[in-house]
Amino acid sequence: QQHNDAGFMFKFCVSFTVRHSFISSLDGTTQENKMRFIQNFKWTDTLQGNVPSAQQDALFELASMAFNVALWNTKFASRLAGKENITEAEAKDVHRSLKVAAGIFKALKEVHVPRLITPAEKGRDLEPRVMDAYIIQCQAEAQEVTIARAIELKHNASLIAALAFETANFYLRADHTLNTLEPECSSKWRKYLQLKQHFYMAYAYCYHGQTLLSSDKCGEAIRSLQEAEKCYSRAEALCKDYRQTKGPGSTAKPSEQLFFLKLGGLIKNTLEKCQRENGFIYFHKVPAEAPQLELKASYGLAEPVPFELPPLSQQCTAEVYATFDLTKGARNDKAKPKEEEVKPVKEPDLKPQQDTGCILS
């Protein structure tokens, strides 16, 4: 399978180089490449079903290809994360793939898409809000791998709480990024982001409660655990809403994952322990207000991997460029065969495994 994955990326690199030669100036001048606007390109979008976007611009083709390479990295990460007995090396691959995807989305948004003559329509893949949501979600899901690793190795509860809080805020930001898109294309995605935000807030309050208990602040620890229970219940309710909401994309089932169920048991057991200790030792008053989380993670934050297009082939020279004569060989539009409708490929729902540590969309 790794051989097939490497072959996929090699083919895309070759295609990138070809498309790049249609955009970059090859004759040493600052003028647009004469081949940039000779072909019309069509791509379907993740949120718009089978209605394609079309632009007569090779840069649109290049950006769309790069966007799909980023998506491939997220799907590759999802497939690895869904294995039953994921190894440390595979977990690192998941982590890196998500950061690579974030880097591609970021480079497209900041460098390449602004150069398009025609801006992307609202809700299309190359529209800034959609790309922002993808960037943030990729970072959040990469941090899920970090959190799972920190829990597995029993790192300090304060570090886990801070990472969970930062991750929850990533999901909140991604959700807010999509709040101005049409509900029919964004509601399902937003439900997923919301359930993840509440889930990681539950994690943050749970591990913050453990930190407070270790500091002999038992009353505050109880209140933090009670807030964790509320966030977890809200995440459970959002899981049901998410699965019932219609919209583009496959449907994950986080509430059936062992890592989701484990958190519910952890919150329950930790709260009961705090209440027992408070009844025997501390006798602290439980605050009415939940503690304000102002946690900053010093380690483990995921940053996008910088992305650059592959360099032009050495065969793309000014001499070769000069041989292209756009006045010759014009195609007869009447002779064009009728375009067939491209049917979308249905993705299977992600089935729960024994213990993945995280779930990716």
Side-chain angles (χ1 to χ4, degrees), residues 73-89:
N73 275 279
T74 68
K75 301 300 180 184
F76 176 73
S78 178
R79 189 191 67 200
L80 278 183
K83 293 180 65 176
E84 288 193 27
N85 299 307
I86 185 169
T87 65
E88 181 178 338

Side-chain angles (χ1 to χ4, degrees), residues 209-226 270-287:
Q210 292 183 24
T211 303
L212 291 169
L213 180 61
S214 67
S215 301
D216 296 323
K217 297 177 180 179
C218 196
E220 293 178 43
I222 290 172
R223 187 64 187 87
S224 187
L225 268 298
Q226 290 173 341
T270 308
L271 178 56
E272 289 176 352
K273 176 185 176 181
C274 290
Q275 290 171 332
R276 285 196 305 271
E277 297 300 307
N278 202 44
F280 278 102
I281 302 173
Y282 295 103
F283 303 102
H284 289 169
K285 183 179 179 180
V286 178

Side-chain angles (χ1 to χ4, degrees), residues 226-356:
Q226 290 173 341
E227 196 65 23
E229 275 191 326
K230 290 182 181 179
C231 292
Y232 186 79
S233 296
R234 179 59 179 150
E236 284 184 311
L238 282 165
C239 282
K240 294 178 182 178
D241 290 346
Y242 165 69
R243 291 176 65 174
Q244 293 170 358
T245 301
K246 295 181 179 180
S250 58
T251 302
K253 299 175 182 177
S255 60
E256 296 180 14
Q257 295 284 350
L258 187 55
F259 89 103
F260 192 97
L261 300 173
K262 275 184 176 179
L263 177 59
L266 178 64
I267 293 170
K268 181 177 181 292
N269 294 336
T270 308
L271 178 56
E272 289 176 352
K273 176 185 176 181
C274 290
Q275 290 171 332
R276 285 196 305 271
E277 297 300 307
N278 202 44
F280 278 102
I281 302 173
Y282 295 103
F283 303 102
H284 289 169
K285 183 179 179 180
V286 178
E289 298 293 328
Q292 293 295 315
L293 298 183
E294 297 179 356
L295 308 174
K296 291 289 184 183
S298 302
Y299 309 97
L301 296 178
E303 291 294 331
V305 174
F307 170 76
E308 292 183 2
L309 292 173
L312 280 172
S313 168
Q314 293 181 352
Q315 295 177 336
C316 298
T317 63
E319 290 75 18
V320 172
Y321 178 70
T323 64
F324 285 90
D325 186 351
L326 303 187
T327 64
K328 295 180 179 180
R331 291 187 301 176
N332 184 357
D333 289 344
K334 294 181 180 180
K336 286 184 181 178
K338 184 178 180 181
E339 291 186 5
E340 295 183 3
E341 182 181 7
V342 179
K343 295 181 179 180
V345 177
K346 186 182 186 303
E347 293 185 52
D349 285 349
L350 302 178
K351 296 180 180 179
Q353 300 290 337
Q354 293 298 313
D355 187 11
T356 64

Side-chain angles (χ1 to χ4, degrees), residues 33-137:
N33 188 309
K34 62 185 177 183
M35 295 184 288
R36 176 175 169 179
F37 304 108
I38 64 173
Q39 176 70 43
N40 191 44
F41 298 98
K42 292 183 180 181
W43 285 83
T44 53
D45 300 88
T46 51
L47 300 181
Q48 302 298 330
N50 202 28
V51 180
S53 299
Q55 290 197 32
Q56 191 157 329
D57 189 343
L59 181 57
F60 171 73
E61 167 80 346
L62 186 71
S64 297
M65 289 174 62
F67 188 94
N68 278 269
V69 171
L71 284 183
W72 179 89
N73 275 279
T74 68
K75 301 300 180 184
F76 176 73
S78 178
R79 189 191 67 200
L80 278 183
K83 293 180 65 176
E84 288 193 27
N85 299 307
I86 185 169
T87 65
E88 181 178 338
E90 288 170 333
K92 288 181 179 179
D93 283 342
V94 171
H95 192 252
R96 177 165 178 80
S97 293
L98 288 164
K99 294 194 296 180
V100 167
I104 296 173
F105 289 131
K106 190 172 187 287
L108 288 176
K109 177 179 178 289
E110 295 178 355
V111 179
H112 303 291
V113 171
R115 294 172 55 204
L116 288 173
I117 302 299
T118 305
E121 296 176 11
K122 184 177 180 180
R124 298 290 180 175
D125 284 346
L126 301 183
E127 204 247 331
R129 288 170 298 180
V130 175
M131 285 192 291
D132 269 335
Y134 272 119
I135 294 166
I136 299 167
Q137 183 176 338

Side-chain angles (χ1 to χ4, degrees), residues 10 12 30 33 59 79 165 186 194 248 265-266 279 310 317 325 360:
F10 174 76
F12 260 104
T30 57
N33 188 309
L59 181 57
R79 189 191 67 200
F165 182 64
S186 64
Q194 289 163 12
L266 178 64
T317 63
D325 186 351
L360 301 108

